[in-house]
Amino acid sequence: MSKNYVKPERLWLRTHPEYSEKWVQQLIAEDPSILGLGDLVLRDQERIHPRAGRLDLLLQDVETKRRYEVELQLGSTDEAHIIRTIEYWDI
């Protein structure tokens, strides 16, 4: 057996005392490469958009200048979250 092997453990963020949606957000902000989208840098975190809410993370590809909006939500995605994401993109 490999010494680097770690058996995954299922975590429920909704009820976990230490890990939460904010923890995941900070993890991505500190190391955007965990998303597997290339060489990204953090442009903004918790960006407030008038009439649209607060964007969790805004990331950008260094070479292409392509931007990615990252919205985190525990549980099932609801219609309001989808609409808000489209509004962020539009802005």
Side-chain angles (χ1 to χ4, degrees):
M1 198 120 161
S2 173
K3 291 181 182 182
N4 295 329
Y5 173 76
V6 176
K7 184 176 181 180
E9 177 185 341
R10 180 178 252 182
L11 297 176
W12 300 102
L13 296 180
R14 190 180 303 269
T15 57
H16 198 280
E18 184 179 346
Y19 304 120
S20 64
E21 186 176 314
K22 282 289 186 196
W23 174 79
V24 173
Q25 180 178 340
Q26 195 57 41
L27 194 66
I28 296 169
E30 291 171 5
D31 183 11
S33 70
I34 65 174
L35 296 176
L37 298 172
D39 186 19
L40 304 179
V41 294
L42 179 65
R43 291 289 310 238
D44 207 353
Q45 189 170 355
E46 296 289 330
R47 177 182 276 195
I48 297 173
H49 286 282
R51 301 177 317 274
R54 187 182 319 233
L55 175 61
D56 291 339
L57 296 167
L58 179 62
L59 306 173
Q60 186 169 10
D61 185 298
V62 176
E63 290 183 20
T64 66
K65 305 295 184 205
R66 177 177 282 157
R67 291 185 176 187
Y68 298 87
E69 61 179 68
V70 178
E71 275 298 302
L72 301 168
Q73 178 182 359
L74 291 178
S76 301
T77 302
D78 60 26
E79 301 83 20
H81 218 79
I82 293 169
I83 296 298
R84 200 165 36 251
T85 302
I86 293 169
E87 288 172 342
Y88 295 150
W89 172 82
D90 186 44
I91 291 170

